[in-house]
Amino acid sequence: MGTNTFYNMSRWAAFWCKRALLRVVFRSFLLMSIILLSISIMVLSPNLYSVNEAHRPTTVSALVTGRQSINSTLHCAIQNGSLSTFARKYANHYTANDVDFLVAVDIIMKRKWQQNSAFSQVFRNDLRAALGDKGKLDRFILTRQNVRWGDKINFYRHKASARISRQLWQLLPKDTFFKPGIIQRCSVVGSSGILKGSQCGHSIDKADFVFRFNLADVKGYETDVGGKTNFTTLNPSLIMIKYSSLRRKEDRTRFAEALKQFKGSLLFLPAFAFKWRYQMLIQAASVAKKSVGLQPIFGHPDHYTSVANLWQKTINGTRWTTTGLHVLSSILDFCEQIDVYGFWPFPTTLDGRAVSYHYHNDINGTTSHSFGKEFRGLVYLHEQGIIKLHIGSC
Ligand SMILES: *[C@@H]1O[C@H](CO)[C@@H](O)[C@H](O)[C@H]1NC(C)=O
Ligand SMILES: *[C@@H]1O[C@H](CO)[C@@H](O)[C@H](O)[C@H]1NC(C)=O
Ligand SMILES: *[C@@H]1O[C@H](CO)[C@@H](O)[C@H](O)[C@H]1NC(C)=O
Ligand SMILES: *[C@@H]1O[C@H](CO)[C@@H](O)[C@H](O)[C@H]1NC(C)=O
Ligand SMILES: *[C@@H]1O[C@H](CO)[C@@H](O)[C@H](O)[C@H]1NC(C)=O
């Protein structure tokens, strides 16, 4: 970006902030009117906002949840880029109580969603500033541009390192696919059972680039989850459990067979979490490339660390940010518009139907991540018009 553009943007930001502050008075007035109007609506029509009879929300608590959208300081970009400034600005805005939170989610999801370009820009700037150089988009994955053969790489979940071996070097792409602003629409598809019967396949496939996770099957589920895949991740635990760590030829054949439904996709491997799983992931990458022609890509451990530090501080989650949130926060500069499907950490839908952990199998969930806290972060981004979250049917 040229100095001129930057200068213009700063002037634009300053102008915008001043204007935003002037608007506060007007907005407070508007808020009062909205609250009064809502109270009248509630009184006249008590069922309008309720999830079900048992949990009718109190008007104010439900509305107060959305107060941040009228907080004008939120719209002014962070100037000094510190991580703690970001954490304070975007801290969790919702109650920790799931029942009350779901009431708020129901209200938020019923509102008409509109992309907020100005705030998206501010959020993207803030995120970029807080992530710093290590968290830049061009360091999302290892490429022959950002590492050299023989370089030392640190694992992020324990103190250990490895050198970029000849075998790994040969698997690395020459350059990154992830360049700022080159994709218009992205679908990010989680694997929650909330997608079952959603009929979201068509809507998901309309995007230019589709992200999926941990080889979640698409074959046989196209109506609900779509058929297009441009990026899917693979966790080491899946290779260990489902493909016996690829020890026998028969395991590797079965693995290659499962990969066929993702033909043409990138295969993202978090190879630098644990050293003792590193070699197995390199082997998985080789199989994927040789037998199915998938391009393996390896998450850069420094990039993961900066994203994980940021969210640990901001949403007070566990140390280990999920691959879902890692990918989502990495691609805000890659995609202009992001639609999110299949993220739902609760055992029932908003109207009380049971939701399985995955749409494609019947395993039970894990407790090693803070899905509930991460999901609150997604709802917040939806509420602010930065991403569009899809819950339920399309
Ligand atoms: C910059 O960051 C420091 C440390 O978090 C904070 O105390 C200070 O107020 C920030 N300055 C601005 C202008 O935001
Ligand atoms: C607006 O947001 C800032 C920072 O998140 C916070 O310190 C301030 O109290 C908020 N103001 C209102 C009126 O909510
Ligand atoms: C995404 O994948 C589809 C097929 O699954 C392909 O047609 C399309 O070109 C890919 N998009 C990009 C931007 O690579
Ligand atoms: C963060 O989480 C811990 C443990 O869950 C809790 O004790 C602490 O009060 C939380 N901090 C904030 C700022 O929410
Ligand atoms: C999942 O949990 C339920 C209830 O706790 C149990 O009945 C079921 O067998 C579990 N399923 C698997 C695949 O472990």
Side-chain angles (χ1 to χ4, degrees), residues 150-169:
D151 274 0
K152 195 173 118 185
I153 296 276
N154 296 313
F155 288 83
Y156 56 77
R157 290 194 69 160
H158 62 132
K159 211 171 155 50
S161 63
R163 301 254 167 215
I164 303 274
S165 64
R166 188 189 184 83
Q167 191 187 11
L168 175 59
W169 179 256

Side-chain angles (χ1 to χ4, degrees), residues 58-206:
T58 59
T59 343
V60 178
S61 84
L63 277 167
V64 157
T65 320
R67 77 191 179 284
Q68 293 297 340
S69 55
I70 54 134
N71 184 340
S72 63
T73 63
L74 211 58
H75 291 265
C76 302
I78 293 170
Q79 298 294 326
N80 67 8
S82 89
L83 205 140
S84 43
T85 316
F86 182 95
R88 243 178 288 122
K89 187 165 165 182
Y90 297 104
N92 182 18
H93 297 275
Y94 305 111
T95 165
N97 179 304
D98 284 349
V99 174
D100 291 344
F101 172 62
L102 286 174
V103 169
V105 171
D106 192 50
I107 294 170
I108 292 165
M109 296 312 295
K110 277 178 182 151
R111 288 186 198 139
K112 187 173 156 44
W113 184 88
Q114 223 180 349
Q115 182 153 30
N116 183 337
S117 308
F119 191 39
S120 290
Q121 202 52 52
V122 170
F123 180 75
R124 283 164 207 234
N125 289 344
D126 286 347
L127 186 64
R128 219 178 291 128
L131 289 177
D133 281 345
K134 286 185 171 173
K136 273 188 171 166
L137 182 61
D138 63 5
R139 293 171 70 88
F140 176 36
I141 59 168
L142 294 176
T143 69
R144 294 189 195 178
Q145 307 289 322
N146 60 27
V147 283
R148 282 170 223 247
W149 185 1
D151 274 0
K152 195 173 118 185
I153 296 276
N154 296 313
F155 288 83
Y156 56 77
R157 290 194 69 160
H158 62 132
K159 211 171 155 50
S161 63
R163 301 254 167 215
I164 303 274
S165 64
R166 188 189 184 83
Q167 191 187 11
L168 175 59
W169 179 256
Q170 280 171 347
L171 290 166
L172 295 184
K174 286 197 182 66
D175 199 0
T176 185
F177 310 91
F178 300 97
K179 304 240 159 102
I182 61 166
I183 301 289
Q184 185 57 38
R185 283 191 64 180
C186 293
S187 288
V188 176
V189 189
S191 311
S192 162
I194 192 98
L195 279 169
K196 270 192 207 168
S198 69
Q199 307 263 318
C200 284
H202 180 66
S203 166
I204 288 171
D205 278 349
K206 267 200 290 188

